[in-house]
Amino acid sequence: MTGRDRVARWVQRRLGRGDDGRAIIEFVFLGVVMLVPLCYLVMTLAVLQAAAYSATTAAREAGRAFTTAPVEGQGMPRALAAAQVAFEDFGFLPEETSVALSCDGSPCLRPDARVSVTTTIRVRLPYLPTFLGDAIPTVIPVSATHVATVDRFGGS
């Protein structure tokens, strides 16, 4: 046996086999690197989907509450209250939401009148600090529009 063979055997014994115990480390590292962004993506999509459902429900209920009001003066408070219930059902605060209402003519509650309600929710992305707002968008607006029709034989 030559000196070179002895040195090679000594190095091989000293270093051990090439794959001893490294697979578990690679699995854990890659699992964390891939799982954390995937979990954040799922959380973000869940919040955006909740906002979409909330905005749609709030617009529909606000339109319905407005068009069924007995007099026009009661329509807007009823619409805002109905929309706020829908927003709160999904956990959105009043300062994150807005409701806009428009009529196709005057008065709004005449028979067959169309009332358009647009609701908007400003969704904050989860776990992002506010100081990042200058570099990346941390708020995503989600809105929905619903057109409600006043009953032909109702209204004032």
Side-chain angles (χ1 to χ4, degrees):
M1 187 185 274
T2 66
R4 198 174 190 176
D5 291 337
R6 269 188 267 144
V7 171
R9 189 175 293 161
W10 179 81
V11 168
Q12 194 174 27
R13 250 186 287 131
R14 185 86 170 133
L15 294 178
R17 291 186 8 199
D19 291 335
D20 284 347
R22 293 195 183 146
I24 190 70
I25 295 170
E26 291 171 1
F27 178 75
V28 169
F29 178 73
L30 287 176
V32 168
V33 167
M34 295 175 79
L35 195 60
V36 169
L38 182 65
C39 289
Y40 184 78
L41 177 67
V42 169
M43 283 187 336
T44 302
L45 291 177
V47 170
L48 290 174
Q49 186 66 40
Y53 283 144
S54 179
T56 302
T57 302
R60 184 181 65 241
E61 294 305 319
R64 184 173 179 209
F66 186 87
T67 58
T68 58
V71 292
E72 197 162 320
Q74 293 177 359
M76 193 60 177
R78 287 172 52 130
L80 291 174
Q84 195 57 45
V85 168
F87 291 140
E88 288 174 358
D89 281 348
F90 287 89
F92 294 103
L93 302 173
E95 55 270 6
E96 300 172 329
T97 62
S98 64
V99 178
L101 195 130
S102 65
C103 303
D104 66 346
S106 182
C108 281
L109 291 180
R110 69 185 189 289
D112 284 336
R114 296 189 191 282
V115 177
S116 176
V117 181
T118 302
T119 56
T120 303
I121 302 172
R122 290 168 300 285
V123 180
R124 294 194 53 75
L125 294 177
Y127 303 116
L128 284 183
T130 53
F131 68 85
L132 287 178
D134 296 335
I136 60 172
T138 58
V139 176
I140 298 175
V142 175
S143 64
T145 301
H146 178 74
V147 177
T149 304
V150 178
D151 188 30
R152 175 175 289 179
F153 301 108
S156 46

